[in-house]
Amino acid sequence: MSAFSRFTPLISALPSTVPFVGPEAIERQRGRAVLARIGANENGFGPAPSVLAAMGEEARDIWKYNDSENFALREALGAHLGVTAANIAVAGGIDELLGQIVRLVIEPGAPVVTSLGAYPTFNFHVAGFGGRLVTVPYANDREDLDGLLDAVRRENAPLVYFANPDNPMGSWWDADSIVAFARALPETTMMVLDEAYSETGPAHSLPSIASLIELPNIVRTRTFSKAYGLAGSRTGYVISTSGTAQAFDKIRNHFGMNRLATAAALAALKDQAYLAEVVGKIHAARERIGRIARANRLEPLPSATNFVAIDTGRDGAHARAIVDGLMEHGVFVRMPGVAPLNRCIRVSVGPEAEMALFEEALPQVLKTLT
């Protein structure tokens, strides 16, 4: 199959790959429907009724572009967080923001520090802009703060990525440790503090906004995809100093935000009672996943996210066999892609019917592998 002959040398050298294979693609490949969609770290409990109503109301104005300054959403987020709108940058999900951050900071060949096995979409963006990944192995199934700091200093890296709570393991660090790590970084190193799961973790894992807001080299990324149940709307945001947040205006797609997504995010912020209800459901579902794992002699790892990593007790090949076997029952789950983390499977929370299907299928799959 022929391709255009004048791609840049960087693009020509990159492999054709994607960070994640989605459940729809797996359905097409296998010719089998996904009945339990509990592998994509989505929130199967969905958004608030008030959010759906707001989207329906806004639909009549979908012929209009969204406000290019995202003024109302940045104002609402600022009020919610206790900062100003100038401290906020908005984009189509954290994934889009990660690409913008890499573009703002990384030149070809520049070192970028992250954990080995951490969020692969970030790595995808680093490769796409010609950065050089420097990876630090996890320690005790969570990111190694001392190792990351050592790598930053050794490489004089302009960018470091750290997720808290963590994807793919669900682990977390306490707020004091994160603040100490951030303040120990060189001023010339930008830190991406990915807080996609900020609403689902324990309170002591989340640094206060005030503790980091004056540091121009810290960007905190958050999303409406997880606890708010709006993964399909693609709405994420950055919290940083006003100067750093406004730098995104230099490269972002100013008309890239969706009007319905903006209306959904505004309504979701207003409905904190529903958020609290859903977070309770997420916690209960995490506990249920743990019980199912233990009933099948597997070990659930502690989680502060909307998924649970389950230690299968063996290696990546065994975990992959479980993932594939579950898909034969229509149960979609994932696994980390790097050893030794890939001894685990990762199960997202979901409604009763999907949890029940997982509970029924898992022992059947394990029986075929003994």
Side-chain angles (χ1 to χ4, degrees):
M1 183 173 60
S2 61
F4 179 63
S5 61
R6 292 189 66 178
F7 288 129
T8 66
L10 171 60
I11 296 302
S12 297
L14 290 174
S16 295
T17 186
V18 294
F20 292 105
V21 178
E24 294 85 0
I26 294 173
E27 286 181 322
R28 290 190 291 270
Q29 292 168 4
R30 296 191 174 217
R32 184 177 295 277
V34 168
L35 304 177
R37 189 179 169 115
I38 51 175
N41 297 6
E42 298 158 331
N43 176 0
F45 302 113
S50 60
V51 171
L52 297 176
M55 294 176 74
E57 183 68 21
E58 189 67 24
R60 68 188 67 188
D61 284 336
I62 198 62
W63 60 273
K64 301 177 184 177
Y65 288 115
N66 195 63
D67 174 15
S68 63
E69 296 182 358
N70 299 304
F71 179 81
L73 182 53
R74 291 191 301 111
E75 283 279 317
L77 284 166
H80 179 68
L81 297 167
V83 296
T84 71
N87 296 109
I88 307 293
V90 174
I94 288 178
D95 288 359
E96 183 173 311
L97 288 165
L98 292 177
Q100 293 175 1
I101 291 166
V102 174
R103 183 180 173 190
L104 283 168
V105 176
I106 296 304
E107 296 177 318
V112 179
V113 173
T114 185
S115 297
L116 180 63
Y119 192 49
T121 300
F122 176 73
N123 303 348
F124 180 80
H125 288 306
V126 171
F129 285 102
R132 174 172 60 86
L133 279 172
V134 178
T135 58
V136 176
Y138 279 60
N140 298 317
D141 295 327
R142 65 177 181 173
E143 297 194 74
D144 181 354
L145 289 179
D146 290 338
L148 290 169
L149 185 59
D150 287 346
V152 166
R153 291 169 172 167
R154 183 181 68 248
E155 299 284 341
N156 188 25
L159 185 61
V160 59
Y161 174 88
F162 171 67
N164 194 68
D166 176 65
N167 178 2
M169 301 310 289
S171 51
W172 67 96
W173 281 89
D174 63 276
D176 290 345
S177 297
I178 297 165
V179 172
F181 175 81
R183 292 187 176 276
L185 289 170
E187 293 181 357
T188 52
T189 299
M190 177 174 282
M191 173 189 180
V192 180
L193 178 54
D194 188 340
E195 297 178 321
Y197 304 96
S198 58
E199 294 89 359
T200 59
H204 70 267
S205 70
L206 190 65
S208 69
I209 296 298
S211 66
L212 297 173
I213 193 61
E214 84 280 8
L215 299 179
N217 63 321
I218 308 300
V219 290
R220 304 172 73 165
T221 57
R222 295 188 182 179
T223 183
F224 286 86
S225 294
K226 307 303 182 182
Y228 287 104
L230 288 167
S233 75
R234 311 309 301 129
T235 306
Y237 58 98
V238 154
I239 312 162
S240 191
T241 61
S242 58
T244 297
Q246 289 174 37
F248 288 81
D249 286 337
K250 298 179 180 182
I251 60 169
R252 69 182 177 89
N253 179 357
H254 287 68
F255 289 97
M257 286 298 296
N258 183 301
R259 286 189 73 92
L260 299 189
T262 300
L266 287 167
L269 275 179
K270 291 178 181 178
D271 202 337
Q272 291 296 304
Y274 182 83
L275 176 65
E277 177 185 335
V278 166
V279 169
K281 290 180 179 179
I282 290 171
H283 290 175
R286 283 198 317 231
E287 291 176 2
R288 180 170 183 182
I289 293 169
R291 291 194 299 271
I292 294 169
R294 285 186 288 269
N296 288 277
R297 299 183 180 179
L298 304 178
E299 183 61 32
L301 303 185
S303 175
T305 63
N306 66 346
F307 62 85
V308 177
I310 299 174
D311 190 339
T312 67
R314 290 168 61 179
D315 57 10
H318 180 63
R320 170 54 60 192
I322 295 173
V323 169
D324 290 343
L326 286 170
M327 188 58 206
E328 291 301 306
H329 293 262
V331 178
F332 165 63
V333 302
R334 280 200 175 116
M335 57 184 283
V338 174
L341 308 181
N342 66 352
R343 73 188 190 281
C344 297
I345 63 171
R346 199 184 62 192
V347 182
S348 305
V349 303
E352 166 61 29
E354 298 189 19
M355 291 289 95
L357 189 55
F358 170 62
E359 186 169 18
E360 177 184 351
L362 181 60
Q364 297 180 47
V365 171
L366 293 174
K367 185 176 181 179
T368 67
L369 299 178
T370 56

